[in-house]
Amino acid sequence: MPPSTLVALAIAALCVVMGFRSGVAELEGDFYEDSCPNASAIVRRVLEQAQQRDVRIGAKLIRLHFHDCFVQGCDGSILLVNAEGIASEQDARPNVNSTAGFEVVDDMKAALENACPGVVSCADILAIASQVAVSLAGGPSWEVELGRRDSRTANRDEANTAIPSPVDSLANMTSKFAAVGLDSTDLVALSGAHTFGRARCTTFSHRLYNFSGTGGPDPTLDSAFLETLRQICPQSGDGNTITNLDPSSPDSFDNNYFTNLRNNRGLLQTDQELFSGAVADTVSAVNRFAGSQSEFFDAFAKSMVKMGGIRPLTGSSGEIRANCKRVN
Ligand code: HEM
Ligand SMILES: *[C@@H]1O[C@H](CO)[C@@H](O)[C@H](O)[C@H]1NC(C)=O
Ligand SMILES: *[C@@H]1O[C@H](CO)[C@@H](O)[C@H](O)[C@H]1NC(C)=O
Ligand SMILES: *[C@@H]1O[C@H](CO)[C@@H](O)[C@H](O)[C@H]1NC(C)=O
Ligand SMILES: *[C@@H]1O[C@H](CO)[C@@H](O)[C@H](O)[C@H]1NC(C)=O
């Protein structure tokens, strides 16, 4: 074999290896251009209608996409309900009595099946809905990469271990993000999704009374904010009471989340740790995003595309579910 052929073969082999390594490359912005050109408009219409009944719906939907992608990739696995061979992820600790918006996903799926039967995956619905939710709330827009297929399996155990918990240390969060190929800038940018939506007292009340067995509150919590939160979440009150993740602008997608962190007004322990955890790169990212909304928006859009590219099923893997709750 002449040397030039060997070189060509080596390059071809390298391309194949690299192609297999990057899941993102297999998704495309115009994936439904021919098969369902109106897919995004349909998702948007259903979301706009749902938002008239529930201002929080956009926040619920982007969180579903996050919890989907962190567990066996962005494959719609979180949407599967308990069935023969399926231990629903909805019963995992991070999701139970917490994740919501499933009925709106079903409405989107029904509208899409009506327009283009058997074409648009449930995993892609979550990716499109996340982008629409953010832009409807005043945040950035981005081109959503599409072409994911739906899993035939769910993994409740992985949902219990892979999704960050609100009592994780910064090191725990960083390692959970690293496990899905996301770095500390992605961690800070994506945490900015806590600029809208709500959290239950049970997810942060440990900060208010006896933090880590100290007998006092979390020292990184602003004292006026502490008093407000103690009123919302009394010590033996209902842990399911909800409050705004971003008290300064609860329903808009802006960079106030980061300003809050600088003012010791992060709601979750895991929010405040990004700024108070003394890890230089997360602190500097918080400062950068607090100082420039457009830097936050650019970073958020990039990180959403990255998160949306976690281990998708493509080609002939998986299936296009007819009903997001069940395998075909
Ligand atoms: C960094 C680690 C993260 C932790 C520990 C975390 C934890 C939480 C917790 C505990 C809640 C409240 C749940 C409840 O009250 O039941 C929540 C809500 C929320 N999270 Fe996160 N989260 C993280 C990252 C993210 C990311 C990456 C996104 C999206 C890109 C996201 C989007 C949301 C949204 C929008 C809500 C409000 C949902 C609603 O109103 O129903 N979170 N998160
Ligand atoms: C696309 O969907 C939107 C929202 O449902 C609708 O208003 C519009 O007429 C649709 N366009 C086409 C070409 O079907
Ligand atoms: C689930 O949340 C609702 C309120 O949103 C509450 O009434 C109910 O008791 C909760 N269930 C559990 C098991 O915490
Ligand atoms: C968090 O990290 C600590 C120390 O690295 C480890 O022992 C612990 O198991 C981790 N916890 C979670 C929930 O990942
Ligand atoms: C706080 O928690 C620690 C450890 O769980 C406990 O020993 C202590 O008595 C508690 N303090 C108060 C004031 O409740």
Side-chain angles (χ1 to χ4, degrees):
M1 217 182 286
S4 60
T5 313
L6 275 175
V7 169
L9 276 174
I11 290 173
L14 196 65
C15 290
V16 169
V17 169
M18 305 217 337
F20 278 125
R21 286 171 61 92
S22 66
V24 187
E26 298 181 42
L27 302 176
E28 307 159 30
D30 58 1
F31 188 81
Y32 296 115
E33 189 171 48
D34 299 322
S35 56
C36 198
N38 216 9
S40 294
I42 292 168
V43 169
R44 173 177 285 263
R45 189 202 62 215
V46 177
L47 183 45
E48 281 171 345
Q49 283 167 356
Q51 202 160 49
Q52 289 169 11
R53 305 186 297 269
D54 177 11
V55 288
R56 188 181 162 192
I57 185 62
K60 291 172 177 173
L61 293 174
I62 192 175
R63 185 160 184 250
L64 286 184
H65 182 47
F66 160 47
H67 285 200
D68 182 29
C69 292
F70 269 57
V71 181
Q72 64 180 27
C74 311
D75 60 357
S77 57
I78 194 176
L79 303 173
L80 293 172
V81 298
N82 286 315
E84 184 72 37
I86 302 287
S88 177
E89 292 168 17
Q90 294 171 25
D91 291 335
R93 274 186 308 278
N95 295 329
V96 71
N97 219 18
S98 180
T99 45
F102 297 101
E103 64 297 330
V104 175
V105 176
D106 292 339
D107 290 347
M108 290 168 174
K109 181 64 184 176
L112 288 164
E113 286 299 298
N114 199 36
C116 0
V119 171
V120 181
S121 67
C122 299
D124 277 350
I125 291 175
L126 294 181
I128 299 168
S130 297
Q131 183 273 317
V132 172
V134 169
S135 67
L136 285 178
S141 197
W142 61 89
E143 184 180 51
V144 184
E145 302 267 293
L146 298 167
R148 299 168 191 79
R149 291 167 64 84
D150 298 321
S151 68
R152 295 194 180 91
T153 60
N155 193 333
R156 186 187 296 161
D157 293 340
E158 196 182 329
N160 274 318
T161 55
I163 298 172
S165 132
V167 297
D168 273 353
S169 66
L170 187 52
N172 289 139
M173 282 193 282
T174 307
S175 76
K176 287 177 181 180
F177 273 64
V180 291
L182 299 174
D183 62 25
S184 65
T185 304
D186 298 315
L187 167 64
V188 178
L190 291 171
S191 294
H194 292 171
T195 179
F196 65 174
R198 314 285 180 263
R200 294 172 301 152
C201 290
T202 184
T203 64
F204 60 85
S205 55
H206 65 283
R207 304 183 68 200
L208 309 181
Y209 301 102
N210 189 358
F211 182 66
S212 306
T214 56
D218 183 339
T220 64
L221 194 50
D222 169 74
S223 57
F225 192 42
L226 170 66
E227 282 321 307
T228 307
L229 293 177
R230 280 179 167 169
Q231 280 172 22
I232 297 167
C233 308
Q235 204 156 9
S236 49
D238 178 0
N240 289 301
T241 303
I242 55 168
T243 191
N244 299 319
L245 275 159
D246 172 5
S248 60
S249 52
D251 297 314
S252 27
F253 198 101
D254 52 30
N255 68 339
N256 286 342
Y257 168 82
F258 298 102
T259 327
N260 296 340
L261 299 186
R262 288 173 65 164
N263 293 326
N264 297 322
R265 290 169 163 260
L267 183 66
L268 305 179
Q269 175 190 321
T270 44
D271 293 324
Q272 195 59 51
E273 278 167 352
L274 301 175
F275 185 72
S276 307
V279 173
D281 58 349
T282 67
V283 176
S284 69
V286 169
N287 283 327
R288 202 151 50 83
F289 299 151
S292 164
Q293 180 156 280
S294 68
E295 280 199 45
F296 165 49
F297 280 8
D298 288 350
F300 187 80
K302 277 203 195 78
S303 295
M304 282 299 291
V305 172
K306 221 167 138 183
M307 184 176 87
I310 299 171
R311 287 159 56 200
L313 296 171
T314 56
S316 57
S317 308
E319 62 183 20
I320 304 299
R321 275 181 224 146
N323 176 337
C324 293
K325 289 181 153 62
R326 283 181 270 281
V327 300
N328 290 342

